Amino acid sequence: MRRPAPLPASPEEPTADDVAVDATPVRRRRGPLLRFGSAAEGPSTPSPDPDAESQGESDADHDGSSDGSSVTAVIEEDDRRAVSDAVGSGEVWRAARARRKALRAEIRRFTQRSRRRRFAVWGSIGAVAALVLGSVIAAYSPLFAVEEITVAGAKTLDPALVQQSLSDQLGAPLALVDADDVKSALAGFPLIESYALEARPPHQLVVRIVERLPIGAIRVDDGYSVVDAAGVVLSTSPKPPEGAPALDIAGGTGSEAFRSAGLVMRSLPADLRATVTEVHATSGDNVTLRLDDGKSVVWGSEKDSVRKAAVLVRLIAASPDSRVFDVSSPTVPVVG
């Protein structure tokens, strides 16, 4: 059956010759049409049929036209695919970018509270550090130099003498006052039992001292020494000092009797202690006091000394004419 002849190409469509020139040549080699017979007949030769030749030419023309159209279609399909791939890649990139942007926004939203908390913590730390640094710089600067020294707690000592001994601290920053120099200066005052330094910005240095409490004068080789309850010698004079009770202590200042007598004298109220003229102690459990009006007080040991002192004050007020008061047992006092 013969194929119909191909329609003539339209002016818009490219011909086989145009495709062969413009497009990449894709040729299909077509061999001669062979006809195979039986083996007995031998090889058959193509017949010079004019219709076959015309049919071959028609087929060749048709195949050429088909090859050109196919190449053009392949090129157009590749172009569309490339454009589609480019468009698709752009869309994917934009979608990924939008997704990353949205993810960052969500992370910022969910971590907003923690970021605020960290900011507040670091802000507080920075403020405290700045305050401390500023305070240290100001404290060590001449803006806070010592210009005035005040002595507090001095009763027997002359405050002017203490201030004079610390005059080398004037002009030094409050934070740089040398504690060793102050200790060396105050060591020259035996009456000072303890002291404390207090800086009052911008220019005042306060020295709070606690004086030793003299309990009496004890007889020594070169006269009389006024001592406190710890046996520290506060002053020495050849004659018995006025206002200091005479101490008659067995064993001297290092004995148990002296320790007990010292604790008893420290426990007395100031007005009652001022009336004591003699202190006798033969042991730690046998302390006796004599008052300026001739009254005698049997104290006993230093135990319950505060309670004994309160009982003695009430007994003297209740029996002013009595001469002996025994408070060694404060729950059962004896008046004679």
Side-chain angles (χ1 to χ4, degrees):
M1 187 174 178
R2 298 176 61 184
R3 293 183 181 179
L7 297 175
S10 61
E12 292 79 4
E13 297 179 355
T15 61
D17 295 336
D18 297 334
V19 172
V21 173
D22 298 336
T24 303
V26 180
R27 298 181 179 274
R28 247 192 301 180
R29 225 173 251 238
R30 298 179 60 88
L33 182 62
L34 300 180
R35 183 176 297 173
F36 298 92
S38 62
E41 293 179 355
S44 59
T45 58
S47 60
D49 188 358
D51 293 336
E53 294 178 0
S54 62
Q55 182 67 31
E57 293 175 359
S58 299
D59 291 341
D61 295 339
H62 182 70
D63 291 340
S65 176
S66 298
D67 289 342
S69 300
S70 299
V71 171
T72 303
V74 169
I75 292 174
E76 293 178 353
E77 181 64 24
D78 290 342
D79 292 341
R80 286 194 299 271
R81 187 173 299 170
V83 173
S84 177
D85 291 344
V87 173
S89 299
E91 292 293 337
V92 170
W93 181 80
R94 284 192 293 271
R97 183 180 179 185
R99 184 174 180 274
R100 289 194 299 269
K101 186 177 180 180
L103 182 61
R104 287 195 297 268
E106 287 297 315
I107 292 174
R108 286 195 298 270
R109 185 169 67 88
F110 280 104
T111 59
Q112 183 177 9
R113 181 177 298 177
S114 62
R115 285 187 287 110
R116 288 180 178 176
R117 186 164 52 249
R118 286 197 301 270
F119 178 77
V121 171
W122 284 109
S124 301
I125 293 175
V128 172
L131 179 61
V132 172
L133 182 61
S135 300
V136 170
I137 293 175
Y140 285 88
S141 68
L143 296 175
F144 292 89
V146 178
E147 297 181 0
E148 179 184 359
I149 297 177
T150 303
V151 178
K155 299 177 181 178
T156 305
L157 283 174
D158 185 0
L161 295 177
V162 178
Q163 293 173 356
Q164 185 178 358
S165 67
L166 299 176
S167 59
D168 57 344
Q169 301 299 324
L170 294 174
L174 288 173
L176 295 179
V177 172
D178 196 333
D180 293 336
D181 290 347
V182 173
K183 181 178 180 180
S184 300
L186 296 182
F189 300 91
L191 198 56
I192 297 178
E193 182 177 4
S194 62
Y195 69 92
L197 300 179
E198 179 182 345
R200 291 184 179 180
H203 305 295
Q204 187 178 17
L205 177 65
V206 178
V207 182
R208 297 188 179 276
I209 63 176
V210 176
E211 293 182 348
R212 296 183 182 275
L213 178 65
I215 62 172
I218 191 169
R219 183 71 181 265
V220 292
D221 295 339
D222 54 351
Y224 295 86
S225 295
V226 177
V227 296
D228 69 343
V232 177
V233 178
L234 305 181
S235 63
T236 302
S237 61
K239 295 181 180 181
E242 295 181 1
L247 301 179
D248 183 13
I249 309 296
T253 57
S255 63
E256 184 67 21
F258 182 84
R259 188 188 70 84
S260 182
L263 293 177
V264 170
M265 290 295 292
R266 288 179 64 93
S267 65
L268 295 176
D271 53 350
L272 181 60
R273 185 172 57 248
T275 64
V276 177
T277 58
E278 297 180 9
V279 179
H280 301 274
T282 58
S283 66
D285 296 330
N286 186 16
V287 178
T288 303
L289 308 177
R290 183 172 294 277
L291 306 183
D292 57 0
D293 57 358
K295 292 182 175 63
S296 178
V297 179
V298 179
W299 199 273
S301 67
E302 80 280 2
K303 296 180 181 179
D304 294 333
S305 291
V306 176
R307 185 177 182 184
K308 291 177 181 180
V311 171
L312 178 61
V313 171
R314 290 197 297 269
L315 290 176
I316 293 175
S319 304
D321 297 333
S322 299
R323 307 299 297 174
V324 178
F325 299 87
D326 188 348
V327 294
S328 58
S329 178
T331 56
V332 186
V334 178
V335 177

